[in-house]
Amino acid sequence: MTCTPSFIFSDAYLTYHFNADHPFNQKRVVLAKELLEAANTLEENDIIEPRLATDEELELFHDKAFIQAVKKAGSGQLAEDEGMEYGLGTEDTPMFANMHEASSYLVGGSLNAVDAVLEGNSTHALNLGGGLHHGFKRKASGFCIYNDAAVAIKYIRQKYNAKVLYVDTDAHHGDGVQWAFYEDPNVCTLSIHETGRYLFPGTGHVNERGIKSGHGYSFNIPIDAFTEDASFLQVYESAFREICAYFKPDVIVTQNGADAHAYDPLTHLCATMSIYEKIPVLAHEMAHQYCGGKWIALGGGGYDIWRVVPRAWAQIWNVMKTGQPKQGNIPDAWLRKWQPKAPVTLPQTWHDDPHVVPTIPRKAEITEKNAKFLLTALKYAQTKQS
Amino acid sequence: MLVEKIMKTDVQTLPPTATIAEALKLLQKHRIRHIPITDAKKQVIGIVSDRDVRDASPSIFSEGSEQEALQNEIQTIMSQPVVSTHPLDFVEEIASIFYDEEFACLPVVSNNRLIGIITEKDMLQTLIQLTGTNLQSSHIEIKAPHKPGILPEVASIFGKRKTNITSVLVYPYDDDPHYKILVFRIQTMNPLPVIEDLREAGYELLWPNDQMGSTS
């Protein structure tokens, strides 16, 4: 299978920067890109620059008033209590200089990814700067200002009239995207995330299935804290395959947050690199089986920016480019450059030693619970198919 | 929270002389399960539930003469006297009435006149709001000694980090009266700094934050 994927990137992505103490750090994208260059899978001519999304494009999903507020915040003209209404100036989404432009680049990157794939120039496209799935119509939240995924899907609907399957494997519920298409039967959303019982944002219950004509096109599988590889993959594989068979998408958009790893400081899931090899492999297979290859992958969460995110995200590209995740050793050149700057010991191999996962009490119970939620979530997909 | 804050004021009622057929129609049309029966002065003199009406309706298999049952007056099947509540009662009290009496609806009466209605569903909705689970948040549970001054001590740790608290619940710790579980829902995706501060201050965090994982 020879695919011609595109990698969306520009240094402008680094301008999406809240402050030095903030866990959301776009240096991850640079680390992943340089890892791929060192591994010789990413070349200069694979790269497409993001563009600045226009106001009109942002308004496909966001309110005018919200966009104006973000612009004002970016030039220091938004009062503190004015910002609160829009979720701007909180601990999670503080204001920063030129935040409108920085956020618009991430959205424009996802739009360029969409155009590359749907105009037929690229089989797949990867925008690691995007995947900001907590952004709401008129509110920033959960480290996200503009919701590039929601804008990109609205754009696909409007410009290409294609049926979109959105698959979100970030450890947090993909709430912003779900609510954006909650009434839309042409956009099917699947989110697999740590249960909202403890974790932000708290939503993503199995019974959130969409409303009106969108009923039956939102799928949520909340998995228990401390879920490990095998159970995660069982849920992911069954859900993705069955929902594809049921919905028959024209294009697949994946949100590839990399925060379900045992090392991730913000979540309680216990996966290893093993899931980040298999997540893109299945997305790739499904895209070819149902969509003639049309697959747009976005970044998302991921807060162990040294040991987890670069490898996890690089594997998406490896799969897009070669059909297979990389194995063996991490290139020396990358380790030599980044180890002196990293506060932790960088991993030496693409794969993880299984011992990175601590011994988890209640493992059998967790697996059983996840399997049960999987069945409940897929109940409708199965009846509609038969 | 007061009953008047959560009651519905648009109440469907019937006079005692209305027929069972009318009641059936009203229940279906408004998708409700209870109808207060009021007199000309809006005093509640009885109440019927969808089950009362169904019990009094003929079987779907019967034909002819039995259909006349639907023409009986509603006062022949209504329950009385009616347990009611006052707009200034507390939601917590409603919850215990529902629990003790095993029914799911209360007319709200003030100066002997019906002014609203409150159902189990309204009460559950309020409980969801009280727990704060309907808002974007992270959830932290702490086991704390049951003694004066603990709550402000713990809450100040959130305050120092400028973390907004969405809701606080305090409930008993198993059967040990010396401890309480404090549940905080906080408005952030990054509870890490707060969790570290709580650990440092010596508080015992409960699942899942008691597992240190392999992050360090």
Side-chain angles (χ1 to χ4, degrees):
Chain A
M1 199 177 325
T2 40
C3 300
T4 51
S6 292
F7 189 95
I8 320 293
F9 179 80
S10 142
D11 285 332
Y13 280 176
L14 290 169
T15 59
Y16 190 86
H17 181 77
F18 294 108
N19 56 52
D21 298 327
H22 200 283
F24 190 94
N25 188 338
Q26 289 295 49
K27 185 183 256 176
R28 309 170 297 164
V29 185
V30 175
L31 291 169
K33 174 184 172 262
E34 295 202 2
L35 176 57
L36 286 164
E37 285 167 341
N40 292 320
T41 38
L42 181 67
E43 291 153 34
E44 194 64 45
N45 56 8
D46 293 324
I47 297 175
I48 298 179
E49 291 253 327
R51 60 183 153 103
L52 267 176
T54 63
D55 284 13
E56 210 179 19
E57 287 165 343
L58 295 172
E59 283 163 20
L60 287 169
F61 173 59
H62 292 289
D63 264 12
K64 273 191 179 140
F66 174 60
I67 299 168
Q68 289 314 315
V70 174
K71 284 182 177 171
K72 276 172 82 179
S75 54
Q77 291 170 341
L78 193 73
E80 209 174 298
D81 42 336
E82 224 182 328
M84 284 301 144
E85 189 193 334
Y86 299 106
L88 298 167
T90 62
E91 286 288 285
D92 281 3
T93 43
M95 303 185 203
F96 61 94
N98 302 316
M99 64 193 294
H100 167 76
E101 291 74 15
S103 313
S104 301
Y105 265 119
L106 305 182
V107 179
S110 294
L111 296 178
N112 274 356
V114 166
D115 284 333
V117 170
L118 290 179
E119 280 169 9
N121 301 322
S122 310
T123 341
H124 325 300
L126 175 61
N127 181 30
L128 293 174
L132 275 63
H133 61 171
H134 295 304
F136 280 67
K137 198 175 160 62
R138 51 183 296 129
K139 194 165 194 174
S141 88
F143 314 162
C144 307
I145 299 165
Y146 297 138
N147 188 328
D148 61 291
V151 174
I153 296 171
K154 291 271 185 195
Y155 182 79
I156 296 175
R157 292 293 311 140
Q158 196 194 55
K159 190 168 170 191
Y160 300 99
N161 192 28
K163 276 171 73 178
V164 186
L165 173 62
Y166 170 82
V167 180
D168 186 320
T169 44
D170 192 286
H172 299 90
H173 176 225
D175 54 352
V177 181
Q178 171 178 303
W179 305 128
F181 302 100
Y182 212 50
E183 296 179 20
D184 189 343
N186 293 305
V187 177
C188 182
T189 61
L190 163 64
S191 181
I192 300 170
H193 45 263
E194 180 183 331
T195 164
R197 233 175 286 151
Y198 319 103
L199 194 70
F200 184 94
T203 47
H205 297 291
V206 73
N207 59 1
E208 290 165 23
R209 296 184 186 274
I211 51 169
K212 299 183 188 164
S213 54
H215 183 77
Y217 298 97
S218 286
F219 293 90
N220 282 290
I221 307 172
I223 55 179
D224 238 34
F226 304 106
T227 293
E228 296 177 51
D229 290 344
S231 179
F232 185 101
L233 287 170
Q234 184 200 359
V235 167
Y236 172 70
E237 290 224 27
S238 318
F240 203 161
R241 283 185 193 279
E242 288 205 26
I243 290 167
C244 275
Y246 150 78
F247 182 66
K248 299 192 177 63
D250 299 323
V251 53
I252 294 173
V253 176
T254 58
Q255 195 275 15
N256 292 73
D259 48 0
H261 194 283
Y263 282 151
D264 196 278
L266 289 198
T267 74
H268 311 99
L269 298 178
C270 272
T272 72
M273 209 45 65
S274 166
I275 71 164
Y276 295 112
E277 291 159 15
K278 293 184 177 118
I279 284 172
V281 168
L282 183 65
H284 188 238
E285 182 192 330
M286 292 295 100
H288 279 284
Q289 188 176 335
Y290 289 93
C291 313
K294 292 195 258 321
W295 169 32
I296 294 131
L298 310 171
Y303 308 99
D304 190 315
I305 70 161
W306 297 99
R307 294 177 296 182
V308 177
V309 185
R311 287 184 298 162
W313 283 358
Q315 293 289 29
I316 306 170
W317 178 257
N318 289 330
V319 171
M320 284 186 166
K321 182 88 179 182
T322 67
Q324 292 295 327
K326 278 259 175 203
Q327 291 182 335
N329 291 332
I330 294 292
D332 265 345
W334 187 80
L335 291 172
R336 269 199 314 273
K337 172 163 182 192
W338 293 108
Q339 185 58 73
K341 301 184 173 83
V344 286
T345 308
L346 294 177
Q348 304 294 310
T349 56
W350 286 94
H351 205 80
D352 275 330
D353 185 307
H355 293 106
V356 302
V357 176
T359 309
I360 303 301
R362 301 175 47 215
K363 180 173 175 174
E365 207 182 324
I366 291 170
T367 304
E368 183 200 343
K369 257 171 116 175
N370 292 344
K372 229 170 158 176
F373 272 128
L374 171 70
L375 280 181
T376 315
L378 293 180
K379 198 166 63 182
Y380 287 96
Q382 286 160 341
T383 29
K384 280 198 188 172
Q385 266 178 75
S386 53
Chain B
M1 189 154 336
L2 297 176
V3 164
E4 65 180 1
K5 284 269 180 211
I6 65 165
M7 69 184 186
K8 296 239 162 41
T9 50
D10 180 19
V11 191
Q12 302 302 322
T13 61
L14 283 175
T17 50
T19 62
I20 294 174
E22 284 172 77
L24 200 57
K25 222 187 275 170
L26 201 65
L27 289 169
Q28 282 163 354
K29 185 176 166 208
H30 295 279
R31 302 187 66 180
I32 51 176
R33 283 184 279 196
H34 302 88
I35 306 172
I37 308 303
T38 51
D39 63 14
K41 291 186 221 145
K42 286 217 111 194
Q43 295 189 73
V44 181
I45 56 168
I47 190 163
V48 288
S49 73
D50 56 344
R51 265 187 288 174
D52 300 331
V53 173
R54 253 185 258 132
D55 287 347
S57 304
S59 159
I60 50 169
F61 297 115
S62 72
E63 292 162 26
S65 63
E66 281 185 42
Q67 296 293 336
E68 285 163 22
L70 287 174
Q71 298 312 315
N72 287 332
E73 286 185 352
I74 199 77
Q75 56 184 322
T76 60
I77 62 162
M78 70 187 187
S79 306
Q80 55 177 336
V82 180
V83 181
S84 64
T85 180
H86 188 271
L88 298 181
D89 282 343
F90 279 3
V91 177
E92 293 91 316
E93 290 165 336
I94 306 291
S96 34
I97 294 176
F98 285 158
Y99 180 80
D100 292 337
E101 306 275 351
E102 296 183 352
F103 50 59
C105 170
L106 284 169
V108 184
V109 173
S110 175
N111 292 323
N112 277 328
R113 282 163 50 102
L114 176 74
I115 60 158
I117 196 161
I118 185 162
T119 66
E120 212 166 39
K121 202 174 161 182
D122 303 323
M123 185 199 73
L124 283 174
Q125 168 65 17
T126 308
L127 286 181
I128 291 170
Q129 281 172 4
L130 288 175
T131 60
T133 48
N134 56 326
L135 297 168
Q136 274 192 328
S137 54
S138 297
H139 171 123
I140 295 175
E141 292 192 11
I142 299 154
K143 177 184 167 189
H146 184 37
K147 61 175 197 191
I150 287 291
L151 192 59
E153 236 175 67
V154 176
S156 72
I157 292 177
F158 293 87
K160 269 183 214 134
R161 288 282 179 183
K162 282 194 178 173
T163 304
N164 205 8
I165 298 172
T166 310
S167 75
V168 185
L169 298 175
V170 182
Y171 53 90
Y173 179 78
D174 291 343
D175 288 329
D176 189 344
H178 301 102
Y179 288 94
K180 287 277 187 188
I181 295 179
L182 307 180
V183 182
F184 290 87
R185 292 201 79 100
I186 54 174
Q187 216 178 350
T188 177
M189 186 155 121
N190 181 19
L192 216 61
V194 166
I195 287 173
E196 274 164 14
D197 290 355
L198 287 166
R199 272 202 195 115
E200 211 158 284
Y203 292 106
E204 190 178 336
L205 292 156
L206 299 180
W207 179 270
N209 296 316
D210 55 341
Q211 309 282 317
M212 293 296 286
S214 60
T215 48
S216 45

